[in-house]
Amino acid sequence: MPILSQASDQDIACHTISVLVDNEAGVLARVIGLFSGRGYNIESLTVAEVNAQEHLSRITLVTSGTPMIIEQIKAQLGRLVPVHKVSDLTVEGPHVSRELALVKVAGTGEKRVESLRIADIFRARVVDSTNESFVFEIVGKTEKINAFIALMEPLGLTDVTRTGVAAIARGCDPI
């Protein structure tokens, strides 16, 4: 009986994929349908119009899988009719990626002071404050935001909202 090989955790990697699409109704649903229909997970998703004259939007998504799965995802995205270009920013060269999070922390006394100290270290800004809570705005790589949230948990973390990853290739060439 043949031994079936399974992907190890080392083979699975996160990829940031940028997809240039027509800005029209139903395009996002088709992209999401491609992922859900095949059991692929989307870890982060952002969409915005990037060219009003040509009615183009950019979908930036973060997904994970083996190299073979990532290639399948890119090929299937490229076959969708409203898709103009698919770029795997993770492998195609240097890129810049950022995420924004709003983090609410409730606390008084020393916990309040400590949350302000940590926010200063992470360059998070206070965007709202009451006598018993703060809302911090933090921008950076996903790992930085995850670390900030982890440090805020014992200090009274009550809520988090995140934008998802926005990414763009470095240099003067478009996507």
Side-chain angles (χ1 to χ4, degrees):
M1 180 175 215
I3 298 174
L4 298 175
S5 67
Q6 293 192 354
S8 70
D9 288 341
Q10 294 174 342
D11 294 337
I12 296 174
C14 275
H15 285 254
T16 302
I17 299 173
S18 179
V19 187
L20 195 62
V21 298
D22 290 334
N23 185 11
E24 59 186 39
V27 173
L28 181 60
R30 291 175 69 186
V31 169
I32 301 299
L34 182 147
F35 276 78
S36 65
R38 288 159 181 80
Y40 303 145
N41 187 41
I42 297 174
E43 296 176 23
S44 171
L45 175 73
T46 58
V47 184
E49 185 174 60
V50 294
N51 187 324
Q53 291 80 19
E54 296 182 32
H55 304 288
L56 296 176
S57 289
R58 174 173 290 127
I59 299 172
T60 305
L61 55 91
V62 177
T63 189
S64 58
T66 64
M68 185 178 79
I69 295 291
I70 298 300
E71 288 304 315
Q72 287 176 348
I73 289 170
K74 293 188 306 190
Q76 291 166 356
L77 284 169
R79 284 195 290 271
L80 293 177
V81 172
V83 172
H84 292 271
K85 186 170 183 183
V86 176
S87 297
D88 185 348
L89 297 174
T90 304
V91 297
E92 291 181 13
H95 68 282
V96 177
S97 64
R98 294 292 182 268
E99 185 175 3
L100 175 131
L102 298 175
V103 179
K104 187 183 294 183
V105 179
T108 58
E110 188 56 37
K111 286 186 176 185
R112 186 173 173 84
V113 172
E114 184 63 15
S115 67
L116 284 171
R117 276 190 223 131
I118 292 170
D120 186 49
I121 292 167
F122 278 80
R123 296 187 178 142
R125 294 184 328 127
V126 176
V127 293
D128 185 59
S129 178
T130 68
N131 289 334
E132 297 175 350
S133 69
F134 290 113
V135 175
F136 297 104
E137 172 189 81
I138 183 167
V139 177
K141 293 189 173 220
T142 300
E143 296 80 13
K144 173 184 174 181
I145 293 172
N146 290 343
F148 180 74
I149 291 168
L151 289 171
M152 289 296 161
E153 284 178 358
L155 299 176
L157 178 74
T158 61
D159 203 2
V160 176
T161 186
R162 297 171 82 150
T163 61
V165 174
I168 194 165
R170 293 188 67 196
C172 58
D173 293 331
I175 162 180

